[in-house]
Amino acid sequence: MPLVTPLARDHDKDVMELAEFFNETLGFPPNSILTMQRRPRIAKAFIELNKAVMENQGGVTAEQKRLIGYIASTTAGCRYCQAHTALAAERYGASQMRIENVWSFRDSDLYTPAEKVAFELAIAAASVPNRVDAELIELVRTYWDEGEIVEILGVIALFGYLNRWNDSMGTTLEEDAEAAGDKLLAKQNWNKGKHI
């Protein structure tokens, strides 16, 4: 049972107009947004932040951003966000093989050296306490420019917010996201946990 019940999709017209963004990303407005709209300014600000973070201005692709979000969310333990990021990664072109094998990225030819470094950054930055150190910073700078680093850390931080929000709220997982989790994350023994 969620801590706060999501409101109807049409509860706030302005929020729902902004939430159209998620129809492309996920195919539906997420229950996290439907809960946030109890305070429309929070929902609107979050949607605008999400749009800004997920905008591609450098070499970090939409697919890579969703895989980074998945790794950060798994590191933080949020099953709701794991399902959402896997679904969105697939919608943005990730093969099932890339999603299923992302946790063996260090030894896999499915990922570029630059992606592997971004994934290491996602794990280190999503860990508590934070594990980003001088050695990792130098490695990240080898593959990504400063604007791209801002985009990557923007994704990690965005999902840090969502991980805390959805795990604390026990946000109910949507049917399509649950199906994506069951399909794409089976190799990681994923289940929806408390997000019923």
Side-chain angles (χ1 to χ4, degrees), residues 62-78:
E63 182 235 14
Q64 290 168 332
K65 286 184 177 186
R66 275 57 184 200
L67 291 174
I68 290 165
Y70 169 68
I71 289 171
S73 295
T74 302
T75 301
C78 181

Side-chain angles (χ1 to χ4, degrees), residues 35-101:
T35 303
M36 286 179 205
Q37 72 176 338
R38 289 185 180 276
R39 295 296 181 260
R41 286 185 62 200
I42 293 174
K44 291 175 195 175
F46 174 77
I47 294 167
E48 290 294 350
L49 176 63
N50 196 311
K51 289 167 69 174
V53 166
M54 292 304 184
E55 183 177 77
N56 300 317
Q57 295 186 14
V60 189
T61 68
E63 182 235 14
Q64 290 168 332
K65 286 184 177 186
R66 275 57 184 200
L67 291 174
I68 290 165
Y70 169 68
I71 289 171
S73 295
T74 302
T75 301
C78 181
R79 295 170 187 227
Y80 180 91
C81 292
Q82 291 168 21
H84 277 231
T85 51
L87 172 60
E90 183 179 52
R91 289 176 66 95
Y92 282 96
S95 67
Q96 186 165 346
M97 184 171 283
R98 274 177 58 86
I99 297 167
E100 285 179 344
N101 292 290

Side-chain angles (χ1 to χ4, degrees), residues 121-152:
L121 181 60
I123 293 167
S127 295
V128 176
N130 186 291
R131 295 189 347 230
V132 177
D133 59 18
E135 182 180 336
L136 181 56
I137 289 170
E138 198 56 42
L139 192 56
V140 170
R141 288 179 177 161
T142 301
Y143 290 97
W144 302 100
D145 69 31
E146 289 185 345
E148 292 164 338
I149 294 168
V150 166
E151 287 187 51
I152 292 167

Side-chain angles (χ1 to χ4, degrees), residues 134-180:
E135 182 180 336
L136 181 56
I137 289 170
E138 198 56 42
L139 192 56
V140 170
R141 288 179 177 161
T142 301
Y143 290 97
W144 302 100
D145 69 31
E146 289 185 345
E148 292 164 338
I149 294 168
V150 166
E151 287 187 51
I152 292 167
L153 276 170
V155 171
I156 298 164
L158 178 77
F159 279 97
Y161 177 91
L162 284 170
N163 298 157
R164 300 303 183 270
W165 181 275
N166 290 307
D167 245 7
S168 298
M169 285 286 182
T171 307
T172 302
L173 190 62
E174 306 82 2
E175 200 172 286
D176 289 348
E178 182 176 354

